[in-house]
Amino acid sequence: STWNFIGDIAFAEGMDSVARIEKLLALKPSIDNPSDGYQPHSVKGEIAFNNVSFSYPTAINASTSNVSFTMAAGSKLALVGPSGSGKSTLAKLLPRFYDVSEGSITVDGVDVRQWSVSHLRQAIGIVSQDVVLFNASIYNNIVYACASNSADKNENRSLREAAEAAAKKAFAHDFIMTLPKGYHTVVGERGVKLSGGEKQRIGIARTILRDPPILILDEATSALDSESEVIVTQALEQICREHTTLTIAHRLSTIRHCDQILFCEHGKIVERGDHNSLMALKGRYSTHVELQKQKEILEF
């Protein structure tokens, strides 16, 4: 009958899905988490990229080549350049989302491949343009991963106070308190009940609470309107203090005061310096800045 035929198709599709899941589960990741990896008690946040080259297995043209730079603990560095220039790729190599093809990356003088993966990633906070929020309360989204279980999170008074303090630093507390249930407001799947700027501030509050020594800001304001960008930029300035910060910049208003700015093109660093020296150079960076100014004027 028709129903049996449909049932057979559904069963076959289900079995095919199970087979693909089993194949995926059987894969052994090339980037593992060795129990005997480097596990320091504290992290200063000194970073060095030493002649780093990398290319994606499925996108040979998207690559970086012979990239070198250093960051002192607590310093601020920005990666700037056109789309596809390798900025985000460099940022993904630091927490070992991928491993370098050549060269090395060190944190506090130790190659990241020698670190315990979990300890390395605990030392790094990432704020991207697409903050991941869960279908839970604002409070639980802020304290995510800061306690062993949900009971700890709800009953720990000091954690609740710390979460509120983090929200205040992220300029999120005021808008949270206007919501009917305040910190107990459920944000919906992927934070659908909040605006882009509100989601960003919740994500920033989460990062402030974790207080990692190293921060990666991956175009954290590029998807926001001008008003939200101003507020989120203020929040980002709060967490950048006393942290080693690697910023990937689309809008340049957030990077003028960085210690170093690296202009990337075709996977290479073609210019480096601070904002004033690069503007005086009148090269690719200054052209990039002027083009963005013209774009902002046209949009306005």
Side-chain angles (χ1 to χ4, degrees):
S1 68
T2 302
W3 287 111
N4 287 335
F5 177 71
I6 294 174
D8 289 343
I9 292 176
F11 179 77
E13 290 177 344
M15 292 301 295
D16 182 60
S17 297
V18 169
R20 283 186 277 121
I21 291 172
E22 289 179 340
K23 184 178 180 180
L24 180 64
L25 293 175
L27 291 175
K28 184 176 180 180
S30 59
I31 300 176
D32 57 5
N33 187 20
S35 58
D36 59 346
Y38 182 58
Q39 302 177 20
H41 294 294
S42 62
V43 179
K44 292 186 291 185
E46 297 173 348
I47 298 171
F49 277 58
N50 306 300
N51 300 312
V52 168
S53 295
F54 171 79
S55 61
Y56 294 99
T58 57
I60 304 301
N61 293 330
S63 63
T64 60
S65 178
N66 199 34
V67 172
S68 295
F69 61 85
T70 60
M71 298 178 64
S75 65
K76 313 290 182 285
L77 182 145
L79 298 173
V80 182
S83 298
S85 59
K87 306 184 299 297
S88 293
T89 297
L90 291 173
K92 290 174 183 176
L93 293 174
L94 179 58
R96 287 194 73 196
F97 294 155
Y98 301 94
D99 271 339
V100 300
S101 304
E102 297 178 15
S104 66
I105 300 171
T106 64
V107 174
D108 291 351
V110 180
D111 193 310
V112 293
R113 290 169 291 191
Q114 297 177 13
W115 281 66
S116 158
V117 174
S118 61
H119 277 70
L120 175 66
R121 294 176 181 170
Q122 285 170 10
I124 300 172
I126 301 176
V127 180
S128 66
Q129 61 178 314
D130 185 20
V131 172
V132 176
L133 297 183
F134 302 97
N135 189 16
S137 68
I138 288 175
Y139 172 74
N140 278 328
N141 270 286
I142 293 175
V143 303
Y144 179 74
C146 288
S148 59
N149 56 56
S150 58
D152 290 335
K153 295 173 184 177
N154 292 320
E155 297 173 8
N156 190 327
R157 180 176 179 180
S158 62
L159 184 59
R160 291 202 308 271
E161 293 173 349
E164 186 171 317
K168 288 178 179 178
K169 289 182 179 179
F171 297 93
H173 177 76
D174 289 346
F175 92 76
I176 292 172
M177 296 309 294
T178 65
L179 300 174
K181 295 184 179 180
Y183 283 84
H184 299 292
T185 300
V186 175
V187 302
E189 195 68 35
R190 298 184 66 84
V192 68
K193 296 181 181 179
L194 302 179
S195 69
E198 289 169 345
K199 287 193 290 185
Q200 287 292 71
R201 282 178 274 169
I202 297 300
I204 292 168
R206 177 194 294 163
T207 303
I208 290 174
L209 185 62
R210 280 191 56 216
D211 194 29
I214 299 170
L215 296 173
I216 297 175
L217 309 181
D218 190 354
E219 301 195 13
T221 64
S222 64
L224 303 179
D225 58 72
S226 298
E227 183 178 352
S228 296
E229 181 187 8
V230 171
I231 299 172
V232 171
T233 298
Q234 290 177 318
L236 291 173
E237 288 174 354
Q238 290 283 338
I239 64 172
C240 288
R241 296 171 184 172
E242 301 178 1
H243 295 79
T244 306
T245 307
L246 177 65
T247 301
I248 301 167
H250 174 70
R251 298 179 180 176
L252 304 179
S253 57
T254 58
I255 66 165
R256 294 179 183 273
H257 302 296
C258 285
D259 302 301
Q260 297 183 73
I261 298 173
L262 309 181
F263 191 86
C264 304
E265 201 169 65
H266 305 301
K268 298 181 179 180
I269 297 172
V270 295
E271 291 179 0
R272 66 178 74 206
D274 60 19
H275 174 74
N276 291 333
S277 65
L278 289 175
M279 290 300 292
L281 186 63
K282 297 189 181 300
R284 289 175 173 85
Y285 175 80
S286 64
T287 301
H288 194 68
V289 172
E290 293 303 322
L291 287 172
Q292 187 169 102
K293 286 181 181 178
Q294 294 175 19
K295 180 182 177 182
E296 290 173 352
I297 292 172
L298 290 173
E299 289 177 347
F300 180 78

